[in-house]
Amino acid sequence: MSEASGFNQFIDTPNNLIDQLVDLDPSETAEWKASLDSLLQAAGPTRARYIMLSLLQHAQENKLGVGALRTTDYINTIPSTREADFPGDEAIERRIRAIIRWNAAIMVHRAQRPGIGVGGHISTFASSASLYEVGFNHFFRGQDHPGGGDQIFFQGHASPGMYARAFVEGRLTEHQMDGFRQELSHSGGGLSSYPHPRLMPEFWQFPTVSMGLGPINAIYQARYNRYLHGRGIKDTSDQNVWAFLGDGECDEPETLGAISLAAREGLDNLNFVINCNLQRLDGPVRGNGKIIQELESIFRGAGWNVIKVVWGREWDELLANDRDGALVDLMNRTTDGDYQTFKAESGAYVREHFFGRDPRTAALVANWSDEKIWGLKRGGHDYRKLFSAYKAATEKNGKPTVILAKTIKGWTLGSHFEARNSTHQMKKMTHEDLIQFRDTLHIPLPDSAIDAKVPAYYHPGVDSEEYKYMMERRRELGGSVPTRRKISRPLPQPADSTYESVKRGSGQQEVATTMAFVRLLKDLVKDPEIGKRFVPIIPDEARTFGMDSLFPTLKIYSPLGQTYASVDRELMLSYKESTSGVILHEGINEAGSTASFTAVGSSYSTHDEPMIPIYIFYSMFGFQRTGDAFWAAADQMCRGFVVGATAGRTTLNGEGLQHEDGHSLLLASTNPAVVAYDPAFGYEVGHIVKDGLRRMYGENSENVYYYLTVYNEPYVQPAEPENLDVEGLLKGMYLYSPATKKGKNEVNLLASGVSLNWALKAQQLLQDDFGISSDVWSVTSWNELRRDGLETDRHNLLNPHDQRTAYVTRKLKAFDGPVIAVSDFMRAVQDQIAPWVPQDFYSLGTDGFGMSDTRGALRRHFKVDAESIVVATLAQLAKNGEIKAKVVQEAIDKYQIEDVTAADAGNTEGSG
């Protein structure tokens, strides 16, 4: 067996650099050093180490300011002498755990029955059942608790255990259990594979199986709870957030990437419970190291309270007799790879290959039987050890807490499962495994009930002491969990006058649509009814978006307030923080900002307080960088507005390849919950926001959220036209500028966002230079038009005698000539509507990587500017035989289409 030669990196304490400190009494210092030398010689290193650790602990107790150790010994943080008294009936709770373990495994096993075979995961919950049950019976508060319910992020692969408990509680039937992973085909509906609120809207609260997102979302949920409290919207002081995750999940950057925020803001309402079964999906997490020690070092360094639950009570006797520290030293030196192997072998193997490494530790178990050695449990399976850890975690100390609980993956499932590398992929048990599993758990089922393919579930009965006990515990704690509130109470809608600033246009002033949106937001937050519900979320780009004007009025939320004198305090737009601040300013952190959006956007469910997140960001860093988190937000049925500012591949012209967004709308189209718009003018923004507030926060609210792309290029914002086709605007397109006079050739120019101005210029060039009339359409949403087309196609497929027409088709059918579609996004965005366009269709877009140059040069390069639109239009007319090909060449020559320097540089303001 190998030993962790590189393990010192995790157990050595950091060097305290004192070279630059002044020694006021060198002789006294020398005396202290001599005392340590004498102790080492007289009592040995074990005693000297103990004294040093005692002094460090005493120094911390006296707030001496000495840094804490990064890691402690590989033993429990809470010694047996300081464990809390266990208040429950451990015998009954052990039986409850066994029943739930059985039903969880049997549900997954039965999902593999012939004709179904949908899979599932058995081993994760088997390792973590005790972690959950100590919470269910003593800590997890339901939504009916007087202090408010806790928010619990269950580990995704452990979902069978939550279903099994719900079954015993009477919340799920056997028929529903047999519908695991059969959400369509199972009569009456099935159970989702993992925690999916959208699929089970009254059961699951948080989606967590996209590993890494659960931990970061839990951190920002805990912070949001404090935010609600700080603003006086809800008293959340008695609520806790629990996040259950795996040790392998900690490899995900999102898992550990935000832990410093939790410590910095003193989130002692947050508890991580990491199931350290030492295994990933394929094998060991740290076969050559020690994941618990590594995580302890990371979390302690970040300022968290760390509680290790490594060993069960059976080890207490051995540790008490370990007078010279040999056992602790052996525990420290043994690698996780070896620990995994030990639990896949036998007591005799452990005696020889663990205790036998040192004659002193071998002597500790010399009189023990192999069976007794094999019965040495890991701490994560010991209810009393876990209770003490949870109790300590919930005693507020100004820090978030992480509990590192050592377990065995597949525990109690038998030798084919326990600690095996393949255990995560194993979906079913052999008949022999089932019999052994039943006997191990003492489940009172006869052999006749243990069918190899569909073994029976077990329910103790509503009159049993197990059922009565667990239901009484849940009643005292505020009801069953997980439970989700799916109804959002409606909010009063803003008066129409609120939208006046964007409806009247900008006069002669040039204003970017980003600024138009910010002006509207300022008016919305002033609304006496709904204004306090808006929560601006900004990832350190407020000045880029023109939102710094909100700092003095709304202020930035900080649990510390503002304890310093701001450098710009004399300015009107000074930077201001407050404990009751409204703005969530997340720093350079899109992942954290999206987590905040998720917490705020689901507040109607978690807190019965509908809030309206306004997350505004560099559009390139939205769906591209945090698309997985936006997908989870959709699963969690969040509501609110995400705003992709500085949109477009040519509009943010100075920033180059990594910043210029030409595809976020296409990425957004992959998310079924996203209603995406690309508005050109301020009044369009106004109508879209108004409609979004109605759909998401009015009566019969919908589980969608809105994505708006807005631009940083200033231009004159027109006033809202009379007789505006509002229905068309919201559905995705309306005729903005009809042809002024009909010519012998007609075309239709469809444009969105900033490109509408290019289309309007092209309309003029076509008329003036070639006598071709064109109608210009403002396409506010290519995505919504496609969604309508797909829904129409599906209806027509299934209803041959009731055929419908897609909205795009209805709008264009009375107009002659080809359709030219353009935007500042790649062609695939516009191509979404091609199947439903009745005319010849051609798109122009910004395919390829972005580059830095003038807006005019970039648009000429991508062939999307007005002159390029003219050439593309002529090319389509020539293709149809309506004009001669030489006219196209004349236009190419006239406008010098191949020469980017011939293009007007365009507006240079707001270029990023």
Side-chain angles (χ1 to χ4, degrees), residues 55-84:
L55 287 172
L56 283 172
Q57 180 176 323
H58 194 60
Q60 291 172 28
E61 290 169 352
N62 285 279
K63 304 187 186 312
L64 198 57
V66 177
L69 297 173
R70 284 191 302 146
T71 57
T72 59
D73 287 321
Y74 199 64
I75 56 177
N76 296 343
T77 302
I78 301 174
S80 58
T81 55
R82 288 179 23 215
E83 288 175 8

PDB file of all heavy atoms in Angstrom, residues 55-84:
ATOM      1  N   LEU A  55      -1.532  25.940  22.570  1.00  0.00           N
ATOM      2  CA  LEU A  55      -1.202  27.360  22.650  1.00  0.00           C
ATOM      3  C   LEU A  55      -1.871  28.156  21.521  1.00  0.00           C
ATOM      4  O   LEU A  55      -2.362  29.270  21.738  1.00  0.00           O
ATOM      5  CB  LEU A  55       0.315  27.543  22.606  1.00  0.00           C
ATOM      6  CG  LEU A  55       1.085  27.134  23.870  1.00  0.00           C
ATOM      7  CD1 LEU A  55       2.585  27.194  23.620  1.00  0.00           C
ATOM      8  CD2 LEU A  55       0.693  28.037  25.044  1.00  0.00           C
ATOM      9  N   LEU A  56      -1.856  27.584  20.300  1.00  0.00           N
ATOM     10  CA  LEU A  56      -2.514  28.259  19.191  1.00  0.00           C
ATOM     11  C   LEU A  56      -4.012  28.423  19.453  1.00  0.00           C
ATOM     12  O   LEU A  56      -4.598  29.484  19.203  1.00  0.00           O
ATOM     13  CB  LEU A  56      -2.292  27.475  17.891  1.00  0.00           C
ATOM     14  CG  LEU A  56      -0.922  27.607  17.239  1.00  0.00           C
ATOM     15  CD1 LEU A  56      -0.791  26.633  16.073  1.00  0.00           C
ATOM     16  CD2 LEU A  56      -0.700  29.045  16.752  1.00  0.00           C
ATOM     17  N   GLN A  57      -4.634  27.363  19.965  1.00  0.00           N
ATOM     18  CA  GLN A  57      -6.052  27.439  20.265  1.00  0.00           C
ATOM     19  C   GLN A  57      -6.319  28.474  21.345  1.00  0.00           C
ATOM     20  O   GLN A  57      -7.265  29.266  21.259  1.00  0.00           O
ATOM     21  CB  GLN A  57      -6.561  26.064  20.703  1.00  0.00           C
ATOM     22  CG  GLN A  57      -8.055  26.051  21.036  1.00  0.00           C
ATOM     23  CD  GLN A  57      -8.547  24.655  21.364  1.00  0.00           C
ATOM     24  OE1 GLN A  57      -8.117  23.681  20.765  1.00  0.00           O
ATOM     25  NE2 GLN A  57      -9.441  24.559  22.328  1.00  0.00           N
ATOM     26  N   HIS A  58      -5.496  28.483  22.357  1.00  0.00           N
ATOM     27  CA  HIS A  58      -5.671  29.440  23.449  1.00  0.00           C
ATOM     28  C   HIS A  58      -5.465  30.872  22.953  1.00  0.00           C
ATOM     29  O   HIS A  58      -6.174  31.797  23.382  1.00  0.00           O
ATOM     30  CB  HIS A  58      -4.685  29.120  24.568  1.00  0.00           C
ATOM     31  CG  HIS A  58      -4.994  29.814  25.865  1.00  0.00           C
ATOM     32  ND1 HIS A  58      -6.177  29.629  26.549  1.00  0.00           N
ATOM     33  CD2 HIS A  58      -4.265  30.717  26.598  1.00  0.00           C
ATOM     34  CE1 HIS A  58      -6.177  30.382  27.640  1.00  0.00           C
ATOM     35  NE2 HIS A  58      -5.025  31.057  27.684  1.00  0.00           N
ATOM     36  N   ALA A  59      -4.519  31.051  22.049  1.00  0.00           N
ATOM     37  CA  ALA A  59      -4.280  32.383  21.487  1.00  0.00           C
ATOM     38  C   ALA A  59      -5.497  32.865  20.715  1.00  0.00           C
ATOM     39  O   ALA A  59      -5.890  34.037  20.807  1.00  0.00           O
ATOM     40  CB  ALA A  59      -3.056  32.349  20.573  1.00  0.00           C
ATOM     41  N   GLN A  60      -6.116  31.969  19.967  1.00  0.00           N
ATOM     42  CA  GLN A  60      -7.310  32.350  19.222  1.00  0.00           C
ATOM     43  C   GLN A  60      -8.468  32.653  20.159  1.00  0.00           C
ATOM     44  O   GLN A  60      -9.250  33.584  19.924  1.00  0.00           O
ATOM     45  CB  GLN A  60      -7.683  31.242  18.239  1.00  0.00           C
ATOM     46  CG  GLN A  60      -6.685  31.100  17.088  1.00  0.00           C
ATOM     47  CD  GLN A  60      -6.963  29.874  16.236  1.00  0.00           C
ATOM     48  OE1 GLN A  60      -8.084  29.428  16.136  1.00  0.00           O
ATOM     49  NE2 GLN A  60      -5.920  29.336  15.626  1.00  0.00           N
ATOM     50  N   GLU A  61      -8.608  31.879  21.219  1.00  0.00           N
ATOM     51  CA  GLU A  61      -9.672  32.131  22.191  1.00  0.00           C
ATOM     52  C   GLU A  61      -9.518  33.503  22.830  1.00  0.00           C
ATOM     53  O   GLU A  61     -10.507  34.147  23.185  1.00  0.00           O
ATOM     54  CB  GLU A  61      -9.658  31.035  23.267  1.00  0.00           C
ATOM     55  CG  GLU A  61     -10.112  29.668  22.740  1.00  0.00           C
ATOM     56  CD  GLU A  61      -9.850  28.546  23.735  1.00  0.00           C
ATOM     57  OE1 GLU A  61      -9.167  28.825  24.761  1.00  0.00           O
ATOM     58  OE2 GLU A  61     -10.300  27.416  23.487  1.00  0.00           O
ATOM     59  N   ASN A  62      -8.286  33.947  22.944  1.00  0.00           N
ATOM     60  CA  ASN A  62      -8.022  35.262  23.522  1.00  0.00           C
ATOM     61  C   ASN A  62      -7.899  36.354  22.458  1.00  0.00           C
ATOM     62  O   ASN A  62      -7.422  37.454  22.758  1.00  0.00           O
ATOM     63  CB  ASN A  62      -6.758  35.212  24.375  1.00  0.00           C
ATOM     64  CG  ASN A  62      -6.968  34.521  25.714  1.00  0.00           C
ATOM     65  OD1 ASN A  62      -7.459  35.120  26.657  1.00  0.00           O
ATOM     66  ND2 ASN A  62      -6.622  33.244  25.768  1.00  0.00           N
ATOM     67  N   LYS A  63      -8.306  35.997  21.223  1.00  0.00           N
ATOM     68  CA  LYS A  63      -8.328  36.965  20.110  1.00  0.00           C
ATOM     69  C   LYS A  63      -6.981  37.643  19.933  1.00  0.00           C
ATOM     70  O   LYS A  63      -6.868  38.867  19.791  1.00  0.00           O
ATOM     71  CB  LYS A  63      -9.446  38.002  20.311  1.00  0.00           C
ATOM     72  CG  LYS A  63     -10.824  37.381  20.477  1.00  0.00           C
ATOM     73  CD  LYS A  63     -11.908  38.439  20.503  1.00  0.00           C
ATOM     74  CE  LYS A  63     -13.265  37.841  20.825  1.00  0.00           C
ATOM     75  NZ  LYS A  63     -13.628  36.660  20.069  1.00  0.00           N
ATOM     76  N   LEU A  64      -5.926  36.827  19.941  1.00  0.00           N
ATOM     77  CA  LEU A  64      -4.573  37.356  19.829  1.00  0.00           C
ATOM     78  C   LEU A  64      -4.209  37.711  18.392  1.00  0.00           C
ATOM     79  O   LEU A  64      -3.205  38.354  18.137  1.00  0.00           O
ATOM     80  CB  LEU A  64      -3.580  36.332  20.393  1.00  0.00           C
ATOM     81  CG  LEU A  64      -2.186  36.837  20.757  1.00  0.00           C
ATOM     82  CD1 LEU A  64      -2.272  37.972  21.768  1.00  0.00           C
ATOM     83  CD2 LEU A  64      -1.357  35.699  21.329  1.00  0.00           C
ATOM     84  N   GLY A  65      -5.029  37.268  17.442  1.00  0.00           N
ATOM     85  CA  GLY A  65      -4.750  37.603  16.053  1.00  0.00           C
ATOM     86  C   GLY A  65      -3.762  36.690  15.381  1.00  0.00           C
ATOM     87  O   GLY A  65      -3.169  37.042  14.361  1.00  0.00           O
ATOM     88  N   VAL A  66      -3.539  35.506  15.967  1.00  0.00           N
ATOM     89  CA  VAL A  66      -2.664  34.522  15.341  1.00  0.00           C
ATOM     90  C   VAL A  66      -3.487  33.732  14.325  1.00  0.00           C
ATOM     91  O   VAL A  66      -4.596  33.296  14.621  1.00  0.00           O
ATOM     92  CB  VAL A  66      -2.072  33.570  16.398  1.00  0.00           C
ATOM     93  CG1 VAL A  66      -1.212  32.499  15.736  1.00  0.00           C
ATOM     94  CG2 VAL A  66      -1.251  34.372  17.399  1.00  0.00           C
ATOM     95  N   GLY A  67      -2.945  33.552  13.133  1.00  0.00           N
ATOM     96  CA  GLY A  67      -3.687  32.858  12.095  1.00  0.00           C
ATOM     97  C   GLY A  67      -4.003  31.421  12.478  1.00  0.00           C
ATOM     98  O   GLY A  67      -3.222  30.745  13.149  1.00  0.00           O
ATOM     99  N   ALA A  68      -5.179  30.944  12.044  1.00  0.00           N
ATOM    100  CA  ALA A  68      -5.585  29.578  12.336  1.00  0.00           C
ATOM    101  C   ALA A  68      -4.839  28.612  11.426  1.00  0.00           C
ATOM    102  O   ALA A  68      -4.327  28.972  10.370  1.00  0.00           O
ATOM    103  CB  ALA A  68      -7.099  29.430  12.125  1.00  0.00           C
ATOM    104  N   LEU A  69      -4.784  27.357  11.855  1.00  0.00           N
ATOM    105  CA  LEU A  69      -4.200  26.319  11.020  1.00  0.00           C
ATOM    106  C   LEU A  69      -5.057  26.118   9.777  1.00  0.00           C
ATOM    107  O   LEU A  69      -6.279  26.201   9.830  1.00  0.00           O
ATOM    108  CB  LEU A  69      -4.130  25.002  11.793  1.00  0.00           C
ATOM    109  CG  LEU A  69      -3.243  24.968  13.045  1.00  0.00           C
ATOM    110  CD1 LEU A  69      -3.426  23.650  13.757  1.00  0.00           C
ATOM    111  CD2 LEU A  69      -1.796  25.175  12.664  1.00  0.00           C
ATOM    112  N   ARG A  70      -4.394  25.836   8.676  1.00  0.00           N
ATOM    113  CA  ARG A  70      -5.156  25.541   7.458  1.00  0.00           C
ATOM    114  C   ARG A  70      -5.852  24.194   7.555  1.00  0.00           C
ATOM    115  O   ARG A  70      -6.953  24.006   7.046  1.00  0.00           O
ATOM    116  CB  ARG A  70      -4.243  25.564   6.237  1.00  0.00           C
ATOM    117  CG  ARG A  70      -3.844  26.951   5.769  1.00  0.00           C
ATOM    118  CD  ARG A  70      -3.180  26.868   4.417  1.00  0.00           C
ATOM    119  NE  ARG A  70      -2.012  25.995   4.445  1.00  0.00           N
ATOM    120  CZ  ARG A  70      -1.627  25.231   3.424  1.00  0.00           C
ATOM    121  NH1 ARG A  70      -2.333  25.208   2.329  1.00  0.00           N
ATOM    122  NH2 ARG A  70      -0.543  24.486   3.508  1.00  0.00           N
ATOM    123  N   THR A  71      -5.190  23.230   8.164  1.00  0.00           N
ATOM    124  CA  THR A  71      -5.797  21.916   8.336  1.00  0.00           C
ATOM    125  C   THR A  71      -5.525  21.414   9.746  1.00  0.00           C
ATOM    126  O   THR A  71      -4.565  21.828  10.401  1.00  0.00           O
ATOM    127  CB  THR A  71      -5.233  20.874   7.339  1.00  0.00           C
ATOM    128  OG1 THR A  71      -3.819  20.788   7.497  1.00  0.00           O
ATOM    129  CG2 THR A  71      -5.573  21.235   5.918  1.00  0.00           C
ATOM    130  N   THR A  72      -6.401  20.531  10.181  1.00  0.00           N
ATOM    131  CA  THR A  72      -6.243  19.879  11.466  1.00  0.00           C
ATOM    132  C   THR A  72      -6.053  18.383  11.213  1.00  0.00           C
ATOM    133  O   THR A  72      -6.098  17.929  10.075  1.00  0.00           O
ATOM    134  CB  THR A  72      -7.482  20.117  12.346  1.00  0.00           C
ATOM    135  OG1 THR A  72      -8.643  19.609  11.666  1.00  0.00           O
ATOM    136  CG2 THR A  72      -7.672  21.600  12.615  1.00  0.00           C
ATOM    137  N   ASP A  73      -5.840  17.636  12.261  1.00  0.00           N
ATOM    138  CA  ASP A  73      -5.645  16.198  12.104  1.00  0.00           C
ATOM    139  C   ASP A  73      -6.869  15.546  11.466  1.00  0.00           C
ATOM    140  O   ASP A  73      -7.981  16.085  11.518  1.00  0.00           O
ATOM    141  CB  ASP A  73      -5.365  15.549  13.466  1.00  0.00           C
ATOM    142  CG  ASP A  73      -3.969  15.864  13.971  1.00  0.00           C
ATOM    143  OD1 ASP A  73      -3.032  15.880  13.143  1.00  0.00           O
ATOM    144  OD2 ASP A  73      -3.810  16.115  15.184  1.00  0.00           O
ATOM    145  N   TYR A  74      -6.632  14.361  10.922  1.00  0.00           N
ATOM    146  CA  TYR A  74      -7.673  13.633  10.205  1.00  0.00           C
ATOM    147  C   TYR A  74      -8.595  12.918  11.203  1.00  0.00           C
ATOM    148  O   TYR A  74      -8.754  11.700  11.196  1.00  0.00           O
ATOM    149  CB  TYR A  74      -7.028  12.641   9.248  1.00  0.00           C
ATOM    150  CG  TYR A  74      -7.938  12.144   8.140  1.00  0.00           C
ATOM    151  CD1 TYR A  74      -8.440  13.012   7.189  1.00  0.00           C
ATOM    152  CD2 TYR A  74      -8.255  10.794   8.058  1.00  0.00           C
ATOM    153  CE1 TYR A  74      -9.261  12.555   6.166  1.00  0.00           C
ATOM    154  CE2 TYR A  74      -9.071  10.312   7.034  1.00  0.00           C
ATOM    155  CZ  TYR A  74      -9.575  11.204   6.092  1.00  0.00           C
ATOM    156  OH  TYR A  74     -10.392  10.744   5.086  1.00  0.00           O
ATOM    157  N   ILE A  75      -9.204  13.713  12.055  1.00  0.00           N
ATOM    158  CA  ILE A  75     -10.137  13.211  13.063  1.00  0.00           C
ATOM    159  C   ILE A  75     -11.302  14.184  13.152  1.00  0.00           C
ATOM    160  O   ILE A  75     -11.293  15.246  12.521  1.00  0.00           O
ATOM    161  CB  ILE A  75      -9.458  13.059  14.444  1.00  0.00           C
ATOM    162  CG1 ILE A  75      -8.839  14.394  14.882  1.00  0.00           C
ATOM    163  CG2 ILE A  75      -8.421  11.944  14.419  1.00  0.00           C
ATOM    164  CD1 ILE A  75      -8.205  14.339  16.267  1.00  0.00           C
ATOM    165  N   ASN A  76     -12.300  13.840  13.932  1.00  0.00           N
ATOM    166  CA  ASN A  76     -13.490  14.679  14.059  1.00  0.00           C
ATOM    167  C   ASN A  76     -13.150  16.020  14.695  1.00  0.00           C
ATOM    168  O   ASN A  76     -12.365  16.085  15.649  1.00  0.00           O
ATOM    169  CB  ASN A  76     -14.559  13.983  14.888  1.00  0.00           C
ATOM    170  CG  ASN A  76     -15.068  12.720  14.229  1.00  0.00           C
ATOM    171  OD1 ASN A  76     -14.866  12.511  13.038  1.00  0.00           O
ATOM    172  ND2 ASN A  76     -15.742  11.873  15.003  1.00  0.00           N
ATOM    173  N   THR A  77     -13.751  17.076  14.196  1.00  0.00           N
ATOM    174  CA  THR A  77     -13.546  18.402  14.773  1.00  0.00           C
ATOM    175  C   THR A  77     -14.121  18.479  16.175  1.00  0.00           C
ATOM    176  O   THR A  77     -13.527  19.085  17.070  1.00  0.00           O
ATOM    177  CB  THR A  77     -14.212  19.466  13.878  1.00  0.00           C
ATOM    178  OG1 THR A  77     -13.655  19.381  12.564  1.00  0.00           O
ATOM    179  CG2 THR A  77     -14.012  20.858  14.430  1.00  0.00           C
ATOM    180  N   ILE A  78     -15.288  17.868  16.366  1.00  0.00           N
ATOM    181  CA  ILE A  78     -15.948  17.891  17.676  1.00  0.00           C
ATOM    182  C   ILE A  78     -15.588  16.602  18.413  1.00  0.00           C
ATOM    183  O   ILE A  78     -15.990  15.506  17.996  1.00  0.00           O
ATOM    184  CB  ILE A  78     -17.469  18.014  17.534  1.00  0.00           C
ATOM    185  CG1 ILE A  78     -17.834  19.290  16.769  1.00  0.00           C
ATOM    186  CG2 ILE A  78     -18.144  17.999  18.904  1.00  0.00           C
ATOM    187  CD1 ILE A  78     -19.310  19.419  16.450  1.00  0.00           C
ATOM    188  N   PRO A  79     -14.821  16.669  19.505  1.00  0.00           N
ATOM    189  CA  PRO A  79     -14.453  15.452  20.231  1.00  0.00           C
ATOM    190  C   PRO A  79     -15.671  14.840  20.926  1.00  0.00           C
ATOM    191  O   PRO A  79     -16.669  15.524  21.179  1.00  0.00           O
ATOM    192  CB  PRO A  79     -13.414  15.941  21.246  1.00  0.00           C
ATOM    193  CG  PRO A  79     -13.731  17.383  21.441  1.00  0.00           C
ATOM    194  CD  PRO A  79     -14.257  17.885  20.125  1.00  0.00           C
ATOM    195  N   SER A  80     -15.579  13.570  21.228  1.00  0.00           N
ATOM    196  CA  SER A  80     -16.726  12.874  21.834  1.00  0.00           C
ATOM    197  C   SER A  80     -17.132  13.505  23.157  1.00  0.00           C
ATOM    198  O   SER A  80     -18.317  13.478  23.525  1.00  0.00           O
ATOM    199  CB  SER A  80     -16.378  11.393  22.042  1.00  0.00           C
ATOM    200  OG  SER A  80     -15.224  11.260  22.874  1.00  0.00           O
ATOM    201  N   THR A  81     -16.190  14.108  23.856  1.00  0.00           N
ATOM    202  CA  THR A  81     -16.508  14.712  25.154  1.00  0.00           C
ATOM    203  C   THR A  81     -17.326  15.990  25.027  1.00  0.00           C
ATOM    204  O   THR A  81     -17.908  16.446  26.014  1.00  0.00           O
ATOM    205  CB  THR A  81     -15.210  15.035  25.909  1.00  0.00           C
ATOM    206  OG1 THR A  81     -14.365  15.859  25.074  1.00  0.00           O
ATOM    207  CG2 THR A  81     -14.468  13.761  26.271  1.00  0.00           C
ATOM    208  N   ARG A  82     -17.371  16.568  23.824  1.00  0.00           N
ATOM    209  CA  ARG A  82     -18.122  17.819  23.626  1.00  0.00           C
ATOM    210  C   ARG A  82     -19.310  17.640  22.691  1.00  0.00           C
ATOM    211  O   ARG A  82     -19.875  18.623  22.213  1.00  0.00           O
ATOM    212  CB  ARG A  82     -17.180  18.892  23.072  1.00  0.00           C
ATOM    213  CG  ARG A  82     -16.201  19.373  24.133  1.00  0.00           C
ATOM    214  CD  ARG A  82     -15.229  20.419  23.672  1.00  0.00           C
ATOM    215  NE  ARG A  82     -15.632  21.199  22.531  1.00  0.00           N
ATOM    216  CZ  ARG A  82     -14.783  21.650  21.601  1.00  0.00           C
ATOM    217  NH1 ARG A  82     -13.504  21.314  21.689  1.00  0.00           N
ATOM    218  NH2 ARG A  82     -15.197  22.374  20.599  1.00  0.00           N
ATOM    219  N   GLU A  83     -19.681  16.407  22.420  1.00  0.00           N
ATOM    220  CA  GLU A  83     -20.832  16.173  21.546  1.00  0.00           C
ATOM    221  C   GLU A  83     -22.125  16.566  22.248  1.00  0.00           C
ATOM    222  O   GLU A  83     -22.294  16.352  23.450  1.00  0.00           O
ATOM    223  CB  GLU A  83     -20.898  14.699  21.140  1.00  0.00           C
ATOM    224  CG  GLU A  83     -19.812  14.295  20.155  1.00  0.00           C
ATOM    225  CD  GLU A  83     -19.841  12.803  19.861  1.00  0.00           C
ATOM    226  OE1 GLU A  83     -20.788  12.121  20.311  1.00  0.00           O
ATOM    227  OE2 GLU A  83     -18.895  12.324  19.205  1.00  0.00           O
ATOM    228  N   ALA A  84     -23.045  17.116  21.471  1.00  0.00           N
ATOM    229  CA  ALA A  84     -24.349  17.499  22.004  1.00  0.00           C
ATOM    230  C   ALA A  84     -25.164  16.253  22.317  1.00  0.00           C
ATOM    231  O   ALA A  84     -25.016  15.208  21.685  1.00  0.00           O
ATOM    232  CB  ALA A  84     -25.081  18.370  20.994  1.00  0.00           C
TER     233      ALA A  84
END
